[in-house]
Amino acid sequence: MFPAEMFAHYGSMIGGLMVLRAMVQQYLPSQLRSLVDRYINKWMSLFDPHVQISFPEFTGQRMKSNEAYTAIRNYLTKNVTSAAKRLKADSVKDSRSLVFSMDDYEEVTDEYKGAKVRWFLNKVSPPSSSVTMYGPTEPSRFYTLTFHRKNRKLITESYIGHVLTEGNVIASTNRQRKLYTNDPLYSMWNHVVFEHPATFETLAMDADKKKEIMNDLTKFTQRKEYYAKIGKAWKRGYLLYGPPGTGKSTMISAMANFLNYDVYDLELTAVKNNTELRRLLIETSSKSIIVIEDIDCSLDLTGQRKEKDDDNGDEDKSPVKKLTEKVKKKSSEVTLSGLLNFIDGIWSACGGERIIVFTTNHLDKLDPALIRRGRMDKHIEMSYCSYEAFKVLARNYLNIDHHPLYETLGPMFDKANMTPADVAENLMPKSDDEDVEVCLKNLIQALEAVKEKAKKKAEEEAQAKAKKERQEKSPKWWRKSKKWAGSLLKKRR
Ligand SMILES: Nc1ncnc2c1ncn2[C@@H]1O[C@H](COP(=O)(O)OP(=O)(O)OP(=O)(O)O)[C@@H](O)[C@H]1O
Ligand SMILES: [Mg+2]
């Protein structure tokens, strides 16, 4: 279990104590473990000129994974694992290639500015009786970094920072991204591998608008020092609004692919109360996009201001209605103020960059407090398909940059409101014998139909408006007698 070199390196006294400590960690019950460990450490510090730092895999009560541990694993995997004798193939990148890291109880050395350090991967198994509500407890691992005390300043102030930075860079290029969703039963995140193909290149949108969003995102990721200087959490809020099928969800995937971020899809209706919301949000990792879709439907996010208005009208409500509303309120106690407090406050303490994206089909339904600048930094309208957006879709779906029918199609997009989802549907060949021309002709027909429908609707609305105006202009006695005659006829029938 322990390499023989350890004795040579630390001296037989220290080696013996280390073996004893490993045995203590492995076999003694936890109450005794810490007591004996304390004495062993005291003895070791008398003889040993070395300093040790531990980096556990999980931290906190809810066993949140430790980002430092992951960064160290990445750093060691790239830089020194080749020297390790026992390796572990512990993750698979893009389901294609194996990634090796050092195995449990394996030790490797590294050198930094002339100082030698040792990394050791330790594992502690939980007592066999330890079972949580999520199943049996897994063994927990930790890296220990050992170095001579004369190098303390160099290692703590420079080397560890260097390892974490390099480890994080490796992580961002290597890692498999994840799509998390909140589990309503246990109020925890479940994840799958995130593999959505949408990119800004395939997103149908005006080129200038697209460029502006990409620049905004890039600028955000480079402003760590700026956010620290102004004392604000390193986060940016986007509000995507527009009719269904205009690409709001597609845009979120394109953002995640562009930034190489994880996605947390937060279903607010499955969150029981503000405490649970707080915990879920604290558990999100840095470099992530938190998505709350259809915010207007998720909750009564109009919040307390609206509630007050409702209270005024309480006398008019029946007792049954009042009771139903009370029960409804109790079942989901997540409030607008809870959400806003979190957005404004909690993340400042979490560190790392986060993007929060809200989507809605109805901008006018949201409380202005929720969408004011500072909370939602950027409002992006996703609208009906323009000619320019159509050209992107034609490139995606039909692999063409131009076609003689473009001349007919060009002006049609200004006159018919069709969503990119509907345009895409028309561009998709329905059978093998549908070629490019057939697809474009189908689209022309569909656009004409939309235009006709809109024209008919506008005419009907104009007629109804004119009728109403005519009625309003007629004398009061005439309107009354008409109404009276109508009700008389009804009674007779
Ligand atoms: N702007 C777009 N660019 C590329 N594809 C798009 C765009 N808009 C819609 N689509 C296509 O239409 C489908 C539906 O779009 P999406 O789910 O992104 O719309 P949405 O705005 O999120 O709608 P909803 O409001 O109903 O959630 C997508 O799978 C995509 O194929
Ligand atoms: Mg959507």
Side-chain angles (χ1 to χ4, degrees):
M1 188 161 107
F2 281 90
E5 308 98 70
M6 195 181 284
F7 284 92
H9 181 72
Y10 295 115
S12 57
M13 184 68 192
I14 301 297
L17 284 167
M18 284 187 82
V19 171
L20 187 62
R21 185 161 67 179
M23 284 166 69
V24 164
Q25 280 166 356
Q26 189 78 5
Y27 300 112
L28 280 193
S30 58
Q31 303 92 323
L32 258 178
R33 200 188 298 160
S34 57
L35 188 75
V36 179
D37 224 20
R38 228 179 30 235
Y39 280 103
I40 294 176
N41 282 345
K42 246 186 192 167
W43 271 92
M44 278 177 76
S45 62
L46 287 179
F47 298 100
D48 190 7
H50 293 93
V51 180
Q52 263 194 7
I53 303 176
S54 296
F55 298 90
E57 191 175 5
F58 298 105
T59 56
Q61 263 188 340
R62 296 250 312 174
M63 301 303 269
K64 184 178 186 297
S65 68
N66 182 0
E67 287 178 19
Y69 177 94
T70 318
I72 292 165
R73 193 185 56 199
N74 290 327
Y75 171 84
L76 294 178
T77 299
K78 175 155 184 246
N79 292 287
V80 278
T81 299
S82 52
K85 289 191 185 124
R86 287 177 306 114
L87 299 170
K88 187 166 51 173
D90 63 349
S91 62
V92 182
K93 195 197 163 200
D94 298 336
S95 318
R96 280 191 291 272
S97 55
L98 288 171
V99 176
F100 296 102
S101 63
M102 59 196 268
D103 203 356
D104 301 335
Y105 309 119
E106 185 67 20
E107 193 181 53
V108 287
T109 55
D110 192 18
E111 201 170 325
Y112 182 70
K113 295 186 179 167
K116 280 211 167 84
V117 300
R118 284 174 174 258
W119 286 101
F120 183 71
L121 178 58
N122 211 335
K123 183 172 90 170
V124 184
S125 304
S128 52
S129 57
S130 172
V131 176
T132 68
M133 65 193 286
Y134 309 119
T137 319
E138 290 284 310
S140 65
R141 292 179 172 77
F142 59 92
Y143 283 106
T144 44
L145 170 65
T146 310
F147 53 90
H148 199 282
R149 60 178 165 228
K150 71 177 182 204
N151 296 322
R152 182 191 281 265
K153 203 164 179 258
L154 176 72
I155 302 299
T156 53
E157 289 177 14
S158 175
Y159 175 68
I160 294 177
H162 156 78
V163 169
L164 298 184
T165 314
E166 206 171 298
N168 284 332
V169 172
I170 298 164
S172 61
T173 49
N174 253 4
R175 75 196 175 123
Q176 278 195 327
R177 275 166 318 112
K178 291 171 187 149
L179 168 66
Y180 294 84
T181 45
N182 53 314
D183 183 328
L185 203 60
Y186 297 119
S187 155
M188 59 189 281
W189 294 108
N190 290 330
H191 70 259
V192 292
V193 175
F194 177 80
E195 281 179 331
H196 199 289
T199 61
F200 274 106
E201 206 175 301
T202 60
L203 189 70
M205 199 176 181
D206 294 341
D208 288 345
K209 217 164 146 186
K210 231 192 291 192
K211 208 161 174 202
E212 191 195 315
I213 298 165
M214 286 160 83
N215 287 342
D216 192 78
L217 290 168
T218 312
K219 216 157 112 194
F220 166 75
T221 57
Q222 295 165 347
R223 299 187 97 184
K224 183 178 182 174
E225 279 81 26
Y226 172 76
Y227 279 91
K229 200 175 121 204
I230 59 168
K232 279 181 79 174
W234 191 10
K235 70 129 195 7
R236 194 150 177 83
Y238 290 85
L239 175 71
L240 308 184
Y241 64 96
T246 47
K248 297 180 290 299
S249 304
T250 313
M251 158 80 86
I252 295 167
S253 301
M255 282 176 162
N257 285 331
F258 179 65
L259 295 171
N260 209 10
Y261 278 16
D262 291 328
V263 177
Y264 287 83
D265 190 358
L266 179 62
E267 179 52 58
L268 273 182
T269 47
V271 183
K272 285 191 205 79
N273 49 40
N274 283 333
T275 319
E276 216 172 274
L277 175 70
R278 220 178 132 92
R279 200 174 51 212
L280 280 171
L281 291 166
I282 287 173
E283 279 174 7
T284 57
S285 57
S286 65
K287 291 191 187 298
S288 58
I289 301 183
I290 287 87
V291 181
I292 304 179
E293 290 257 30
D294 298 321
I295 185 103
D296 48 302
C297 311
S298 301
L299 287 175
D300 179 21
L301 284 172
T302 40
Q304 281 152 358
R305 288 175 209 189
K306 193 78 182 279
E307 255 168 44
K308 269 184 200 152
D309 296 346
D310 288 351
D311 287 347
N312 293 341
D314 251 10
E315 299 104 60
D316 307 336
K317 289 178 189 164
S318 71
V320 178
K321 201 168 176 195
K322 273 189 212 167
L323 196 71
T324 328
E325 277 177 12
K326 232 179 190 172
V327 171
K328 226 166 111 188
K329 256 185 216 165
K330 263 224 131 62
S331 65
S332 176
E333 284 177 353
V334 176
T335 60
L336 170 68
S337 62
L339 192 61
L340 296 184
N341 283 342
F342 152 71
I343 291 173
D344 271 356
I346 302 171
W347 267 337
S348 345
C350 290
E353 64 266 52
R354 282 170 183 82
I355 284 176
I356 180 152
V357 184
F358 285 38
T359 74
T360 181
N361 296 139
H362 307 281
L363 187 63
D364 49 317
K365 277 195 194 170
L366 299 182
D367 189 319
L370 179 68
I371 57 173
R372 73 159 166 78
R373 307 277 157 173
R375 279 185 175 132
M376 292 290 109
D377 304 282
K378 213 164 166 51
H379 296 189
I380 302 169
E381 182 180 7
M382 303 298 289
S383 54
Y384 293 108
C385 195
S386 63
Y387 178 48
E388 202 180 331
F390 152 75
K391 285 199 272 189
V392 178
L393 289 173
R395 210 173 301 136
N396 296 347
Y397 286 81
L398 301 173
N399 212 7
I400 53 167
D401 277 323
H402 192 73
H403 191 276
L405 283 174
Y406 274 23
E407 285 199 11
T408 319
L409 274 161
M412 293 186 86
F413 289 97
D414 292 334
K415 294 172 195 144
N417 283 344
M418 192 183 260
T419 62
D422 287 338
V423 172
E425 181 60 29
N426 279 291
L427 289 180
M428 227 177 319
K430 309 281 175 310
S431 60
D432 287 346
D433 47 302
E434 275 198 1
D435 60 5
V436 171
E437 191 156 330
V438 176
C439 291
L440 291 178
K441 281 183 176 161
N442 285 345
L443 178 62
I444 290 173
Q445 263 182 17
L447 281 164
E448 260 161 11
V450 169
K451 197 176 111 188
E452 276 309 307
K453 206 171 156 191
K455 199 173 147 195
K456 216 169 154 192
K457 197 176 163 201
E459 279 170 8
E460 280 168 9
E461 276 171 7
Q463 274 173 11
K465 198 177 160 200
K467 193 175 166 192
K468 204 175 164 201
E469 276 172 6
R470 263 201 318 275
Q471 278 174 350
E472 278 167 5
K473 272 183 196 157
S474 59
K476 210 172 175 183
W477 64 266
W478 172 246
R479 270 184 276 152
K480 265 195 169 170
S481 48
K482 244 178 110 181
K483 208 173 166 187
W484 176 76
S487 58
L488 208 69
L489 267 173
K490 235 184 203 172
K491 267 185 198 163
R492 282 213 171 160
R493 263 190 235 131

